[in-house]
Amino acid sequence: MKLPSSSATNLNKKDMRHMITMNDFTRKEMDDMLELMSLLKEARRDNAVPHLFKNKSVAMIFEAGSTRTRVSFETAATLLDGHALFLSPRDIHLGGKESIDDTARVLSRMCDIIMARTNDGDTTEALTKMSTVPVINGLDCVYHPTQMLADIFTMMEHMPEGKELSDLTVAFMGDATDVCRSLLLTCTKYGMNFKQIGPKKYQMQEKWLKVADKNCAETGATYEITDDVSKVSECDVIYGDSFYWTTQLEEKEERLAAFMPDYVITKALMENAAPGAILMHCLPANDKEEVTREALEGTNSVALDQAENRLTAQMAILVYFTHKFNNSPSEETLAHHKNKIDGFLNNL
Ligand code: CP
């Protein structure tokens, strides 16, 4: 038996990038991803998505639950003719019987990209340290970059006539969540104006404001952190998120008392926003807490378009982060291996 001279693995990829926060990317790189989203959305509309992930796999690690992130990545891989593996802690040994380092190294040998939703940023960072394929952060309680791509794209789709992204003021209602933090950094990177409107105790930490300051100095963006709900009158986008995460259930009553009713997105609050303002929500939404059903179903709500754009974003991400490593065989190479294997099988 003659063994191949080198292993068919995903090692030593030059120019490989991970996606942990959108803030790691230049404006040009972000624009390229958005342009790719636009092309892929158009192709999906015509039921003609090119098979740009053919023979590739995405390992999807989910330490926490998900509807949109899971379904969008899995469907994106299918549309692009690749494969997605759903890996919950019940299915793999991550961090239990097997170290995160070893998990990252083994998945890198078999899959082309790793998407991870983890319960903390340390796990995601540990995956990036040892992975030899791109790691995509599918939410780690610090950042939610894949949500950001869908959000900026949705804002562009629903931009008031004659306006540009840099003309928009985005208000995030409530807690300084991972989505709030990601929006602060992404909006300021895009030269937009951002406000977090929420009670003082739950406002954005200084550490992230310093990063936003740097973005603002480069792009001319502004931000404001305030507890004054009347500031929605200056905002073109009113953005909602849960008032507590699944790891904060013991704080639920205290949080609800702090946020409700002032920071709930209602029809009346939307009427006080800038003319033509849209309602966005990363979902899942609790229509008894941070947003009313009436507001969520209002004509100015784009929450479902935003959710659908998660699929558009994930298609672009799978392609953007792997296209340089395509190694499609020629017809000649395919025929060579097929003949060799057929010859072996015919002699069994
Ligand atoms: N917005 C979002 O990430 O939704 P899921 O938790 O359902 O993935």
Side-chain angles (χ1 to χ4, degrees):
M1 181 169 51
K2 186 167 169 278
L3 293 175
S5 55
S6 63
S7 67
T9 63
N10 288 316
L11 296 175
N12 301 324
K13 289 186 164 158
K14 284 201 178 75
D15 304 327
M16 190 189 75
R17 296 283 301 271
H18 300 299
M19 186 190 210
I20 302 306
T21 163
M22 286 309 290
N23 213 54
D24 287 343
F25 294 89
T26 64
R27 172 70 190 262
K28 158 88 170 68
E29 289 165 339
M30 284 156 62
D31 282 345
D32 286 345
M33 288 184 228
L34 291 165
E35 178 87 31
L36 187 54
M37 280 177 71
S38 179
L39 294 168
L40 287 162
K41 185 162 183 168
E42 209 178 352
R44 179 174 170 243
R45 186 199 59 201
D46 292 344
N47 200 21
V49 176
H51 293 169
L52 297 169
F53 202 60
K54 188 175 169 62
N55 295 335
K56 292 188 189 297
S57 294
V58 49
M60 307 190 303
I61 297 170
F62 278 98
E63 286 190 325
S66 162
T67 299
R68 277 143 293 274
T69 308
R70 176 184 172 174
V71 175
S72 56
F73 265 107
E74 197 159 332
T75 306
T78 302
L79 285 168
L80 294 161
D81 207 25
H83 180 64
L85 297 93
F86 173 72
L87 308 170
S88 79
R90 279 180 41 184
D91 307 309
I92 56 171
H93 302 298
L94 180 75
K97 209 169 168 189
E98 187 163 39
S99 70
I100 294 164
D101 288 2
D102 283 352
T103 303
R105 292 195 296 186
V106 170
L107 291 179
S108 301
R109 296 261 182 148
M110 300 182 189
C111 299
D112 300 277
I113 191 163
I114 297 172
M115 193 289 304
R117 169 165 292 193
T118 61
N119 285 327
D120 62 67
D122 292 346
T123 306
T124 311
E125 200 183 320
L127 285 168
T128 63
K129 291 239 157 58
M130 298 312 290
S131 175
T132 55
V133 297
V135 173
I136 307 299
N137 177 6
L139 176 66
D140 62 359
C141 298
V142 186
Y143 300 115
H144 200 356
T146 68
Q147 179 74 53
M148 290 306 105
L149 265 191
D151 289 355
I152 297 292
F153 192 84
T154 308
M155 288 177 205
M156 291 167 78
E157 284 182 325
H158 293 277
M159 197 103 69
E161 189 82 22
K163 283 203 172 185
E164 295 183 17
L165 276 180
S166 57
D167 298 324
L168 298 186
T169 300
V170 176
F172 184 93
M173 303 299 297
D175 189 16
T177 60
D178 47 84
V179 172
C180 177
R181 184 176 304 119
S182 299
L183 262 185
L184 165 72
L185 300 186
T186 308
C187 288
T188 51
K189 193 113 184 180
Y190 258 95
M192 300 161 74
N193 307 302
F194 176 85
K195 294 186 197 297
Q196 182 198 355
I197 304 181
K200 287 199 166 54
K201 182 175 174 189
Y202 298 98
Q203 292 179 352
M204 189 58 63
Q205 303 85 347
E206 197 57 34
K207 174 181 172 183
W208 309 108
L209 297 180
K210 285 200 175 115
V211 184
D213 283 337
K214 193 162 170 283
N215 287 349
C216 291
E218 284 168 10
T219 66
T222 66
Y223 70 79
E224 181 181 7
I225 310 296
T226 177
D227 58 1
D228 182 358
V229 181
S230 73
K231 292 288 178 107
V232 295
S233 64
E234 300 168 18
C235 301
D236 307 287
V237 177
I238 308 295
Y239 197 116
D241 190 2
S242 175
F243 288 148
Y244 53 90
W245 185 235
T246 48
T247 52
Q248 296 166 325
L249 289 178
E250 72 287 356
E251 299 172 32
K252 178 178 165 182
E253 296 312 320
E254 186 189 343
R255 283 172 164 269
L256 291 183
F259 292 112
M260 295 175 72
D262 290 359
Y263 302 97
V264 178
I265 302 176
T266 60
K267 184 166 177 267
L269 184 138
M270 289 306 300
E271 284 166 358
N272 288 334
I278 56 171
L279 187 164
M280 295 181 70
H281 195 302
C282 53
L283 304 180
N286 187 326
D287 61 12
K288 303 282 181 294
E289 295 176 357
E290 76 275 4
V291 61
T292 63
R293 180 52 51 187
E294 186 183 31
L296 202 55
E297 302 291 345
T299 51
N300 51 358
S301 170
V302 300
L304 286 179
D305 288 351
Q306 188 184 354
E308 185 180 338
N309 278 332
R310 299 295 307 281
L311 171 59
T312 315
Q314 319 311 22
M315 284 195 289
I317 288 166
L318 292 179
V319 175
Y320 184 87
F321 286 88
T322 62
H323 77 102
K324 285 186 184 149
F325 315 122
N326 277 343
N327 195 12
S328 301
S330 64
E331 291 297 323
E332 198 181 7
T333 306
L334 276 173
H336 166 77
H337 287 288
K338 178 143 190 346
N339 288 341
K340 262 175 83 171
I341 294 167
D342 282 349
F344 168 74
L345 293 174
N346 289 338
N347 285 323
L348 282 180

